[in-house]
Amino acid sequence: MNTMLTFLRKEWIEQARTSRLIILGVVLVFFGLSSPLFAKFTPQILTLVPGGEQFAGLVPAPTVTDAITQYVKNINQFSLFLAILLTMGMVAQEKEKGTAAMMLVKPVSRTAFLLAKFVSLSLTFLAAMLVSGLAAYYYTVLLFSTPDLGAWLGLTVLMWVYAVVIIAITLLFSTLFRSQAAAGGLSFGVMLLLSVIGGLPTLGEYMPGYVVSWGASFFTPNPVNGWPALGVSLVVIAACLIAAATRFNRQEL
């Protein structure tokens, strides 16, 4: 337990030094704030484009549903890309530079080393996404109407769960390979594959990405059932962490 706390402290100090938390927060808060703004002022934006006036009149009056849709689209998309970018070098880079071997020169748990990276980045994403979600909620209330806060937070947490799935997958590839590019490229490929499978009827309801659709449905009269997708997401996270720890414990650093 002490080893885990030590590694967690090390990860948070590193995040502070590299401004990872600030960058993540600024990007997500920006897109959180801009989501209801973009939904509200899309007709006006179209009028600024040459010849866009004729199309602006065809756009229906924006509603709170448009703000929610824009919020889901922006935060889900950028949180997944950032999950890959910020995770792909977490282990691969340390192995490449030799810092992992220096950290683990003492008889300390390699599993704790990996888990600390996963937990610290997951909590960082949770904090950034909650702040972004509250910022988007505030502007949605100002510009439209007041959505259910509990549903909004539930949606945000479920988008975070999907981001954590991608973090776990990327961490596995970062452990398997010494190249950040390989880890990032394969993670992006898996993310696209999950997206394609998620579009299939029936099978898509069991894919991790369906938890986002589940969260978005909280604002409809008949929410969908996303519990199976949540269960699969947790299994994927656990399987990736177990596989990463197993492989890492056998590697020569």
Side-chain angles (χ1 to χ4, degrees):
M1 185 64 180
N2 289 334
T3 302
M4 180 70 173
L5 292 176
T6 300
F7 281 137
L8 275 174
R9 235 182 339 259
K10 176 254 184 189
E11 289 299 320
W12 279 318
I13 291 173
E14 183 176 337
Q15 286 187 28
R17 287 176 177 172
T18 58
S19 302
R20 186 180 300 166
L21 176 59
I22 296 175
I23 294 172
L24 179 63
V26 168
V27 171
L28 291 183
V29 169
F30 171 78
F31 285 104
L33 288 172
S34 64
S35 297
L37 289 170
F38 187 78
K40 180 70 174 179
F41 299 110
T42 294
Q44 289 88 331
I45 294 173
L46 286 176
T47 60
L48 300 177
V49 180
E53 296 84 357
Q54 55 185 332
F55 298 104
L58 301 176
V59 177
T63 65
V64 67
T65 301
D66 297 311
I68 295 169
T69 301
Q70 196 68 40
Y71 170 65
V72 172
K73 178 182 176 182
N74 287 344
I75 298 304
N76 185 54
Q77 181 179 21
F78 284 98
S79 65
L80 297 183
F81 281 123
L82 287 170
I84 292 175
L85 289 174
L86 296 179
T87 310
M88 65 185 190
M90 291 192 80
V91 180
Q93 188 177 38
E94 295 214 28
K95 288 191 296 183
E96 183 181 357
K97 292 183 177 179
T99 53
M102 294 171 56
M103 284 291 300
L104 298 170
V105 66
K106 297 180 180 180
V108 296
S109 171
R110 294 190 178 194
T111 300
F113 177 80
L114 281 181
L115 286 179
K117 290 183 174 295
F118 171 76
V119 171
S120 64
L121 189 58
S122 297
L123 291 178
T124 297
F125 263 81
L126 178 60
M129 292 180 75
L130 285 176
V131 172
S132 173
L134 291 174
Y137 182 83
Y138 175 73
Y139 265 78
T140 300
V141 171
L142 285 181
L143 298 174
F144 296 97
S145 59
T146 305
D148 182 82
L149 179 58
W152 192 281
L153 292 176
L155 166 61
T156 303
V157 170
L158 288 173
M159 286 195 290
W160 170 73
V161 169
Y162 190 24
V164 172
V165 170
I166 301 302
I167 289 173
I169 291 172
T170 309
L171 184 65
L172 171 59
F173 286 132
S174 185
T175 304
L176 294 176
F177 301 97
R178 288 184 176 272
S179 168
Q180 296 183 62
L186 287 169
S187 301
F188 184 72
V190 171
M191 185 179 72
L192 290 180
L193 179 62
L194 290 175
S195 178
V196 171
I197 298 175
L200 300 176
T202 307
L203 184 59
E205 297 178 8
Y206 294 88
M207 292 294 100
Y210 194 72
V211 298
V212 179
S213 300
W214 183 27
S217 74
F218 292 164
F219 300 94
T220 65
N222 300 304
V224 300
N225 177 21
W227 289 107
L230 179 60
V232 170
S233 299
L234 297 178
V235 169
V236 170
I237 292 170
C240 287
L241 292 178
I242 292 172
T246 301
R247 176 60 178 167
F248 193 56
N249 282 321
R250 296 175 180 175
Q251 284 180 340
E252 292 289 337
L253 301 178

